[in-house]
Amino acid sequence: MKAPSLRFRLLLLSSVSIAVALLVAGFAIALLFSSHIERSQRAQLEHQLLRLAALVEPGPQMPELRQAMPDPRYESPAGGLYWQVTDPDTHATSRSRSLWDTVLPYPAAALVDHTPITAPLIDPAGLPLVALVQRLSFERDGGVGDRVLDLVVAETTSGVDAANAAFRSDLVRALAVLALVLISAAWVQVMLGLAPLDVIKRGIAAIRSGHSHHLEGAFPKEVMPLVAEVNELLDLQERSITFARERAADLAHGLKTSLTLLNGHAYSLRQQGSDGPAAAIESLVDDMSATIDHQLRLSRLRHRSRSDRQSTALAPVVEKVVAALRLTAAGREIQWNIAIPPDCHIALDTMDLTELLGVLVENATKWAKATVSLAAEPQADRLVLRVEDDGPGLDETQMQSLGKRGQRFDNSQPGYGLGLAIAREIVSLNGAELQFARSGLGGLSISVVLPQGAGNRALPR
């Protein structure tokens, strides 16, 4: 299972953290606002209770107010704001017009020490109220003793509930906008924070394409150990490859020297009339020389991954290979049909491409009667390079074994069957494909399916 990208994980973590933080903050802010509204409502009720106490006329049997309460809601039936004055001894009660004929059933037993208490009540319309209730003693006119009265002011909670709902709605919208802003900022932060990794990625691509040998540039100190390790590994790899190639060349030189001496002994045997042993030694020497050449050529190949963006122009390499073969005895007798677009590029190292074309075109020249054809055809993001000849060709069974080391089907031509084996090695190292078929010219058709390189324009079909 493929792990999610580092950018995605960081952005997801930031988004979740922002969402949780804003959710907690939203609940806290909504709770603070609700508490503030409730405190504000209680403060207003305390103010109304003080005003009611100042306006009460305790002398009459039925408690009265010297003048009406100033808020007009007291005069509207079920207006949402109510007052009530009750004598707890006689149960005589005066009330605001907003109560109409309803009496608020306040908790009289809970009134002690002239301390106001808050009580939940129900108004005439059946809506919940928050009430402030206080028992006070009033001095009667004429000094005939004090009169105890219970004062009630109440207000519906619908206004508070509506304010809380409106505030929560506005808060949700504001927090949603803030979340988008913070997530966008987190995305920018993640992109800028991980930008050095993109620089490292481009540097590695440049190393693969041969444009650079090390990761170069200014990097943050946090990634400098990684850059240093990569550069050290690249140096070590280059030294190891150079050492291996030098040792292979030294080994080949030593073996070639010994084979040359052995060939000299074979010549001496032939001069002495021992043609059979001389021929056997010469055959072994030729086989060993071909094997050494094959391994040396493979040691010079450059491994390329499928993600490599190496780009090589195809036409110049084809012209170079064909020009070299035209100078040979077989090449001078061949008619060359070349159809390679001039702006055609493939994702292959130039040396690898030269080696591959050399093998394929040389093989076609060797077997052709009069014509060799080279053509390139684009197919989506791939390019098919086709090399054909008008030679004897091969049947299906032979084509399935073609390219195996040492496999030959006609001993009339010189060679040891290593050329197409090298071609298979090249396409295998570079993520390409090698296909064999019967040519329309009558001989063998070899198609190489290669990844297209950067710089390709639309190629004619």
Side-chain angles (χ1 to χ4, degrees):
M1 187 172 108
K2 186 177 180 181
S5 69
L6 186 59
R7 283 186 179 85
F8 175 79
R9 285 185 285 183
L10 290 175
L11 187 58
L12 178 62
L13 180 61
S14 299
S15 301
V16 171
S17 301
I18 290 171
V20 171
L22 291 181
L23 187 64
V24 173
F27 275 114
I29 293 172
L31 182 62
L32 289 174
F33 180 80
S34 178
S35 299
H36 171 74
I37 290 295
E38 291 174 359
R39 287 195 302 271
S40 177
Q41 186 183 43
R42 179 181 173 86
Q44 291 293 331
L45 288 177
E46 288 177 350
H47 176 74
Q48 296 288 339
L49 186 63
L50 288 174
R51 181 174 290 274
L52 179 64
L55 295 178
V56 167
E57 181 63 51
Q61 183 177 1
M62 182 67 68
E64 298 178 355
L65 298 186
R66 295 186 180 92
Q67 64 182 51
M69 294 287 283
D71 196 311
R73 289 180 293 174
Y74 287 115
E75 302 302 321
S76 301
L81 191 60
Y82 312 96
W83 67 262
Q84 177 178 293
V85 179
T86 302
D87 187 332
D89 296 327
T90 64
H91 300 290
T93 301
S94 295
R95 54 190 178 274
S96 62
R97 185 179 295 274
S98 56
L99 282 174
W100 200 245
D101 58 353
T102 302
V103 176
L104 296 176
Y106 66 93
L111 298 175
V112 292
D113 300 330
H114 304 290
T115 301
I117 64 171
T118 303
L121 302 177
I122 301 297
D123 76 348
L127 299 176
L129 297 173
V130 56
L132 199 60
V133 184
Q134 187 175 18
R135 176 168 291 176
L136 294 175
S137 297
F138 294 87
E139 184 178 349
R140 299 176 185 268
D141 294 337
V144 292
D146 294 340
R147 185 177 186 184
V148 177
L149 295 176
D150 293 340
L151 279 63
V152 180
V153 290
E155 185 178 11
T156 180
T157 60
S158 58
V160 173
D161 294 339
N164 282 329
F167 179 79
R168 284 193 295 268
S169 178
D170 293 340
L171 181 63
V172 168
R173 287 194 292 268
L175 291 180
V177 173
L178 180 59
L180 291 177
V181 172
L182 292 177
I183 291 174
S184 299
W187 180 82
V188 173
Q189 182 180 10
V190 169
M191 296 300 293
L192 293 179
L194 297 181
L197 298 183
D198 290 330
V199 177
I200 292 176
K201 180 181 178 180
R202 291 193 296 269
I204 292 176
I207 292 170
R208 284 179 172 177
S209 63
H211 292 94
S212 178
H213 299 288
H214 293 88
L215 290 177
E216 300 175 352
F219 296 94
K221 64 179 182 179
E222 289 81 4
V223 298
M224 278 304 298
L226 173 63
V227 173
E229 288 292 336
V230 171
N231 286 334
E232 185 175 349
L233 286 174
L234 290 171
D235 290 337
L236 178 60
Q237 182 187 44
E238 185 64 27
R239 290 195 297 269
S240 299
I241 292 175
T242 301
F243 178 81
R245 287 177 176 173
E246 290 176 351
R247 298 292 78 75
D250 292 342
L251 178 61
H253 177 72
L255 291 175
K256 286 278 190 176
T257 301
S258 299
L259 290 175
T260 301
L261 294 175
L262 188 59
N263 216 17
H265 289 303
Y267 177 77
S268 298
L269 289 174
R270 191 176 294 280
Q271 292 296 107
Q272 295 173 11
S274 301
D275 292 339
I281 292 175
E282 289 171 347
S283 177
L284 290 174
V285 168
D286 290 341
D287 287 344
M288 293 176 68
S289 295
T291 302
I292 293 170
D293 290 338
H294 170 67
Q295 295 301 326
L296 281 178
R297 292 166 78 179
L298 289 181
S299 70
R300 292 193 296 268
L301 297 181
R302 301 180 64 189
H303 185 274
R304 295 288 165 184
S305 69
R306 293 181 183 268
S307 61
D308 196 357
R309 294 297 181 265
Q310 175 80 352
S311 183
T312 300
L314 179 60
V317 178
V318 171
E319 293 173 1
K320 177 182 176 181
V321 172
V322 172
L325 287 172
R326 286 181 190 273
L327 300 177
T328 64
R332 285 193 293 267
E333 305 297 329
I334 294 296
Q335 176 184 345
W336 298 90
N337 297 330
I338 301 176
I340 306 295
D343 54 358
C344 179
H345 291 71
I346 58 175
L348 200 66
D349 177 67
T350 303
M351 295 303 297
D352 291 1
L353 178 59
T354 303
E355 187 80 20
L356 176 62
L357 282 175
V359 168
L360 298 182
V361 179
E362 182 181 3
N363 181 80
T365 305
K366 182 188 300 183
W367 297 103
K369 297 176 182 177
T371 304
V372 172
S373 173
L374 288 89
E377 178 186 355
Q379 294 182 355
D381 60 341
R382 311 290 263 178
L383 188 76
V384 178
L385 174 63
R386 189 171 291 107
V387 180
E388 300 179 85
D389 63 71
D390 62 348
L394 300 172
D395 59 32
E396 292 294 332
T397 303
Q398 291 172 325
M399 282 189 288
Q400 290 177 1
S401 300
L402 198 59
K404 294 182 180 179
R405 183 183 304 182
Q407 181 66 61
R408 302 183 66 213
F409 300 104
D410 190 342
N411 293 321
S412 64
Q413 296 285 352
Y416 297 90
L418 296 177
L420 291 180
I422 293 175
R424 282 192 183 275
E425 294 282 357
I426 295 172
V427 299
S428 175
L429 290 173
N430 289 277
E433 299 177 22
L434 198 62
Q435 301 172 354
F436 302 97
R438 190 76 179 180
S439 169
L441 300 176
L444 181 65
S445 173
I446 303 178
S447 299
V448 186
V449 184
L450 298 160
Q452 292 196 49
N456 273 354
R457 296 186 291 272
L459 299 178
R461 294 183 178 272

